[in-house]
Amino acid sequence: MSRRVNIADVAREAGVSSQTVSRALNNKSEISAETRVRVLAVVERLGFRPSTLARGLVTQKTATLGLVVPDIANPFFSEIARGAEDAAHEAGYSLLLCNTVEDPSREIEVLHTLEAQRVDGIILCSSRLAEEDLSAMMAKLPTVILVNRVLSGDDLRSVCIDDEAGARCAAQHLLDSGHRAIAFLAGPPASYSGLNRARGYQRALSEAGIPADPDLSLACDPHLEGGYNAARQLLSHRPDTDAFLCYNDLVAVGALQACAAAGRRVPEDVAVVGFDDIRLAGLVTPPLTTLRSDKRTLGAEAVRLLLRVMAGCPASCESIVLQPELIVRASAPARTAVEKPVTAE
Amino acid sequence: MSRRVNIADVAREAGVSSQTVSRALNNKSEISAETRVRVLAVVERLGFRPSTLARGLVTQKTATLGLVVPDIANPFFSEIARGAEDAAHEAGYSLLLCNTVEDPSREIEVLHTLEAQRVDGIILCSSRLAEEDLSAMMAKLPTVILVNRVLSGDDLRSVCIDDEAGARCAAQHLLDSGHRAIAFLAGPPASYSGLNRARGYQRALSEAGIPADPDLSLACDPHLEGGYNAARQLLSHRPDTDAFLCYNDLVAVGALQACAAAGRRVPEDVAVVGFDDIRLAGLVTPPLTTLRSDKRTLGAEAVRLLLRVMAGCPASCESIVLQPELIVRASAPARTAVEKPVTAE
DNA sequence: TTGAAAGCGTTACCAT
DNA sequence: ATGGTAACGCTTTCAA
């Protein structure tokens, strides 16, 4: 079992010093064209792969970024990861993937791991850390970009979906369609995005001169059953409810089923709007009106911002906010109320 | 801007040599308890994180594994990734994530990258490389575990879903329910899992004494439209078709829609069986009978096998084959044909 | 139990 | 344009 070939082997074989090999590999200018060709031929022939460990040790750069997500199996984050990986690969960076499984202590642990790995930067998605812990960590870590969370009064960069604007737009759409008793199925009380969506919902109502009605807002699990239960409850307590704005598409599907179970037609009696535009949204009956956010772009932009900040770009590019797009389908059609055909997916 | 603290700083501060610090960090035995405590206190106070780069350079181990998938945004692979990350984390390993975007040259590229990163092992999912290229690469790389692909006549380890057994089981289920003209919507012609599923389908038929009918097998895109188009075509050319066995759940949903469009009732006129049990499967109308495979376990087992092989375990554990489970829902009920309630998800 | 020195594989710096 | 030497930060080996 032979030793792995290193730069000295290449140098010997090519009859040059290892510095010259290094220059050839790194496209340095101080080397003659013919030497470079000869060296690279030997590199190729021996199948030499320079160790990024050794290189990183001396350059203090690893060309590696950390990606921290609560759960890569969640489509929301796997889309972000895909976008991040695309952008990272394009820039010549590798990605170290860490799941926090929604556990703050695990989050601290993976951040320490990434620090030990000497990643050049970190994309931190939906951090569950308390503001103080997060601030404390960030001070010691390499450049961090926050996704889906902003940290107030700091020089920290973040990339977000504009949940408030999205919810406001959706609520506005429902108002424009003549709905007045619009319920909000709010998702988990501790969710940042849920809070922002609640804000957008309330703002749209107040702008329309409709007084806030606490009975119409209900927290729920962010899954189908959560939506079903919350919607059933609301339909029985407040039979005047004529629309549901939902925390996400699964909750919305639950609301659809609750309407069916309660004998209320969608969209004739009750309109339903989801959030996220997951694949399912276009396939249920009736197809869901929902807010689509481009998670892949979000991930890619996060990496690009990270690389810019790492490169020391001027403060011009501090944060990025992506606008979600309202996808109008049959569960909450536009005012003229013509059912649109299902958008093929 | 202060320099990052290193082992010498800790040593100086603790009044010992850096070797002693190293011993304290690595739980070596040759160190007194009190010295260890004192050293670790300094480590904590200074927030020292040993560089895994430097450590890896000398130990020739990085505690890092490579995970290569075609597309992390595909739920199939993000589930595998989640399982892999769980198992890796449990064993103290980090995961380097690479997407190949179904491009063989990109696959070679990422394998080279992982080699340069000196990962200790690689999980390679659904490799698209030609047998010869793959064999050639494996020889140079660290230990590789293949997921969803086996390489014949080699000492290569793999972890797979038993697609053939799954398809055979599903076909058997349809036969048991009295179906005879069972069509197979085969997915992409080049798909390994598709070929294996075709094999299981044909085997079930031949065991039942039903002659192979090439007209009833049709390749299609692995998406909803692909299933829709293929099913429509089949329903018009072969109106006697009384069941669809589908490459995956999306294709099956397409088949459902095709049946609806052709005025055929499911399951009364035509039964439909999918593959994978994605979330959508239980939510469409009628809910899909499908084969569920535990992708998360698949990923975790791949990592565990990799770690065992890396540890030089005896050949006993060469390959792992996971059996999919038939989930019977309304689109292809059991013979007695009582519609089961939707399994809440 | 502890420490000094060598070395992992590369690039930076300074000569030539 | 090329090479020698030191350095990156750690662990291993050997000596004390």
Side-chain angles (χ1 to χ4, degrees):
Chain A
M1 176 160 146
S2 60
R3 197 177 41 78
R4 160 172 262 141
V5 13
N6 62 23
I7 199 172
D9 299 327
V10 175
R12 195 178 316 113
E13 190 77 9
V16 297
S17 70
S18 49
Q19 295 48 258
T20 299
V21 176
S22 175
R23 282 188 270 254
L25 288 168
N26 296 287
N27 284 312
K28 297 283 183 180
S29 50
E30 320 96 332
I31 182 176
S32 73
E34 58 179 336
T35 307
R36 160 174 295 136
V37 170
R38 183 159 45 91
V39 167
L40 291 181
V42 175
V43 165
E44 185 67 22
R45 181 157 57 81
L46 299 186
F48 170 58
R49 306 269 165 234
S51 164
T52 61
L53 297 183
R55 178 177 288 176
L57 194 54
V58 48
T59 61
Q60 304 283 42
K61 293 183 190 320
T62 54
T64 300
L65 306 177
L67 175 65
V68 182
V69 295
D71 176 12
I72 191 65
N74 179 328
F76 187 88
F77 296 110
S78 66
E79 274 290 342
I80 290 177
R82 172 62 200 271
E85 217 269 341
D86 286 350
H89 178 265
E90 189 181 318
Y93 282 78
S94 295
L95 227 49
L96 226 24
L97 173 69
C98 304
N99 285 267
T100 63
V101 299
E102 321 251 329
D103 174 359
S105 70
R106 175 85 171 259
E107 189 171 327
I108 291 178
E109 180 195 345
V110 304
L111 289 175
H112 284 163
T113 301
L114 292 174
E115 189 185 353
Q117 302 261 20
R118 300 296 190 262
V119 295
D120 296 335
I122 294 176
I123 303 289
L124 180 53
C125 295
S126 305
S127 172
R128 300 293 178 110
L129 289 184
E131 190 123 347
E132 57 207 49
D133 294 332
L134 190 48
S135 295
M137 296 276 343
M138 311 273 283
K140 299 286 181 188
L141 291 172
T143 313
V144 174
I145 298 293
L146 257 28
V147 174
N148 273 347
R149 168 146 184 197
V150 294
L151 205 52
S152 55
D154 245 309
D155 60 339
L156 299 173
R157 314 311 196 291
S158 64
V159 175
C160 296
I161 300 283
D162 195 337
D163 285 305
E164 179 173 344
R168 185 170 162 228
C169 166
Q172 190 63 53
H173 171 77
L174 290 168
L175 289 166
D176 290 347
S177 309
H179 300 278
R180 284 300 172 268
I182 303 174
F184 181 58
L185 303 186
S191 156
Y192 285 87
S193 50
L195 293 178
N196 287 328
R197 291 170 193 183
R199 206 167 290 142
Y201 157 78
Q202 278 149 1
R203 188 154 155 214
L205 294 196
S206 79
E207 284 174 356
I210 298 180
D213 181 346
D215 289 355
L216 287 177
S217 281
L218 210 58
C220 62
D221 276 346
H223 305 298
L224 199 148
E225 293 78 12
Y228 180 86
N229 294 332
R232 287 227 68 164
Q233 186 178 336
L234 218 36
L235 286 174
S236 73
H237 289 10
R238 292 288 303 258
D240 60 315
T241 301
D242 62 9
F244 285 108
L245 177 56
C246 302
Y247 175 69
N248 66 21
D249 288 336
L250 286 180
V251 168
V253 173
L256 285 184
Q257 297 188 345
C259 288
R264 314 287 290 269
R265 293 169 305 166
V266 177
E268 293 83 356
D269 303 329
V270 181
V272 175
V273 177
F275 224 108
D276 291 345
D277 196 31
I278 64 176
R279 180 159 56 190
L280 180 59
L283 297 173
V284 289
T285 308
L288 270 181
T289 290
T290 186
L291 288 150
R292 173 187 296 167
S293 48
D294 187 345
K295 275 86 70 178
R296 196 171 293 202
T297 297
L298 188 69
E301 286 301 324
V303 165
R304 294 198 192 103
L305 175 57
L306 175 58
L307 295 175
R308 281 201 301 274
V309 174
M310 279 163 45
C313 108
S316 64
C317 49
E318 295 242 323
S319 281
I320 295 180
V321 178
L322 259 51
Q323 294 302 321
E325 175 192 9
L326 184 70
I327 306 294
V328 178
R329 298 201 186 92
S331 75
R335 188 188 190 105
T336 48
V338 178
E339 277 210 21
K340 305 223 168 154
V342 184
T343 304
E345 222 198 9
Chain B
M1 180 163 143
S2 61
R3 197 177 40 78
R4 162 173 260 141
V5 16
N6 64 20
I7 199 172
D9 299 327
V10 176
R12 194 176 319 113
E13 190 78 8
V16 297
S17 71
S18 50
Q19 298 47 254
T20 299
V21 176
S22 175
R23 281 188 272 256
L25 288 168
N26 296 286
N27 284 314
K28 297 284 182 180
S29 50
E30 321 96 334
I31 183 176
S32 72
E34 58 178 334
T35 306
R36 158 172 295 132
V37 170
R38 183 159 44 91
V39 168
L40 291 182
V42 175
V43 165
E44 184 67 23
R45 181 156 57 80
L46 299 186
F48 171 56
R49 308 270 165 231
S51 163
T52 61
L53 297 182
R55 180 177 285 173
L57 195 54
V58 45
T59 62
Q60 305 281 43
K61 292 181 189 322
T62 54
T64 301
L65 306 177
L67 174 65
V68 183
V69 295
D71 175 12
I72 191 64
N74 180 329
F76 187 88
F77 297 111
S78 67
E79 275 291 340
I80 290 177
R82 171 64 198 268
E85 216 270 343
D86 286 350
H89 179 264
E90 188 180 317
Y93 281 78
S94 295
L95 227 48
L96 226 23
L97 173 70
C98 304
N99 285 267
T100 63
V101 299
E102 322 250 329
D103 174 358
S105 70
R106 174 86 170 257
E107 189 170 329
I108 292 179
E109 179 195 345
V110 304
L111 289 175
H112 283 162
T113 301
L114 292 174
E115 189 186 354
Q117 302 259 21
R118 300 295 191 263
V119 295
D120 296 335
I122 294 175
I123 304 288
L124 180 53
C125 294
S126 306
S127 172
R128 299 294 177 108
L129 289 184
E131 189 124 346
E132 58 207 48
D133 294 331
L134 191 47
S135 296
M137 296 276 342
M138 312 273 282
K140 299 285 181 188
L141 290 173
T143 312
V144 174
I145 299 293
L146 256 28
V147 174
N148 273 347
R149 166 142 186 200
V150 294
L151 205 51
S152 54
D154 243 311
D155 62 339
L156 298 174
R157 314 310 196 292
S158 64
V159 175
C160 295
I161 300 284
D162 195 337
D163 284 305
E164 179 174 344
R168 184 169 162 230
C169 166
Q172 190 62 53
H173 170 75
L174 290 169
L175 289 167
D176 290 346
S177 309
H179 299 279
R180 284 300 172 269
I182 303 173
F184 181 57
L185 303 187
S191 158
Y192 285 87
S193 50
L195 294 177
N196 287 328
R197 291 170 193 183
R199 206 167 287 141
Y201 157 78
Q202 278 149 0
R203 188 153 156 216
L205 293 195
S206 78
E207 284 174 356
I210 298 180
D213 182 344
D215 289 356
L216 287 177
S217 282
L218 209 58
C220 63
D221 276 346
H223 305 297
L224 199 148
E225 293 77 13
Y228 180 85
N229 294 332
R232 287 228 69 165
Q233 184 177 338
L234 219 35
L235 286 174
S236 72
H237 290 10
R238 291 290 304 258
D240 60 315
T241 301
D242 62 8
F244 286 108
L245 177 55
C246 302
Y247 174 70
N248 67 22
D249 288 336
L250 287 181
V251 168
V253 173
L256 285 183
Q257 297 188 346
C259 289
R264 313 289 291 268
R265 293 169 305 165
V266 178
E268 294 82 356
D269 303 329
V270 181
V272 175
V273 177
F275 226 107
D276 292 344
D277 195 31
I278 63 177
R279 179 159 59 190
L280 179 59
L283 297 174
V284 288
T285 309
L288 269 182
T289 291
T290 186
L291 288 150
R292 172 187 298 167
S293 48
D294 188 345
K295 276 86 69 178
R296 195 171 293 202
T297 298
L298 188 71
E301 286 302 324
V303 165
R304 294 198 192 102
L305 176 57
L306 175 59
L307 295 175
R308 282 201 301 275
V309 174
M310 279 163 43
C313 110
S316 64
C317 48
E318 295 243 325
S319 281
I320 295 179
V321 178
L322 259 51
Q323 295 302 321
E325 174 193 8
L326 184 70
I327 306 294
V328 178
R329 298 201 187 93
S331 75
R335 192 191 186 98
T336 49
V338 179
E339 279 211 19
K340 306 225 166 149
V342 184
T343 304
E345 220 197 12

